[in-house]
Amino acid sequence: MSLRKLTMVLAATAACTALVGCVLPIAIWPGEAKLTAPLFCAEPYPEPMVVSDTFVDSEGTGTNFTLYCVGDRGQFTDEGFLLPWLALWAAHTVLAGVVVLLIAASHRDRPEISDTMPEISDPL
C-alpha cells in the first residue's frame, strides 16, 4: 500500500471515528467517559462520575455531560467533557486504525486472481 493511499485511509478512519465519537459517548453511552478516568482522575479524587445536566432555554432543551472526579469525602473536580471526548476519539481512532492496517496487511499477502481462465484441453 502506498504512503498516499495509507494516509487517505487513515484520514478517512479518523473522520469516521469522529462521527462515531459524537454518537457513542453522547447519545448511546455517556458513561464511556468514565473509561478516561486514569487520565484525568488522580488522588485524592479517584472515582469517576458522568453527570448529565438537562436545561431548557429559548432555543429548546439541551443536555450537557460532564466528567467529575470524586473523592472519599464528596469533594470533586470538574474535568468537563471536551478533554475526555478527545481522549476517547483518539482511542477509537487508534483501534480503528489497527483494524484497517490488519485488513490491509491481510490483503497484501493474497495472490492476484487472473482475469483470464487457463485453457483446458479436451481429454477425449
Side-chain angles (χ1 to χ4, degrees):
M1 182 180 281
S2 70
L3 182 60
R4 181 173 181 239
K5 195 175 191 181
L6 180 64
T7 304
M8 289 172 47
V9 167
L10 292 178
T13 302
C16 289
T17 56
L19 292 174
V20 168
C22 288
V23 173
L24 185 63
I26 295 171
I28 298 174
W29 183 32
E32 185 185 24
K34 286 183 180 182
L35 300 176
T36 63
L39 298 173
F40 300 107
C41 297
E43 291 295 332
Y45 313 105
E47 188 66 32
M49 182 181 298
V50 177
V51 176
S52 67
D53 179 30
T54 302
F55 59 92
V56 179
D57 61 8
S58 62
E59 296 178 11
T61 302
T63 302
N64 289 333
F65 295 101
T66 305
L67 175 68
Y68 290 98
C69 298
V70 182
D72 293 336
R73 297 183 183 159
Q75 70 275 31
F76 64 91
T77 60
D78 180 351
E79 299 301 326
F81 190 74
L82 182 61
L83 289 178
W85 181 82
L86 290 173
L88 289 170
W89 179 32
H92 292 155
T93 303
V94 167
L95 289 172
V98 167
V99 169
V100 167
L101 290 175
L102 288 174
I103 291 170
S106 71
H107 283 286
R108 181 186 304 169
D109 296 337
R110 292 185 181 174
E112 290 238 359
I113 298 174
S114 175
D115 288 338
T116 60
M117 292 285 296
E119 221 173 284
I120 299 174
S121 61
D122 190 15
L124 297 174

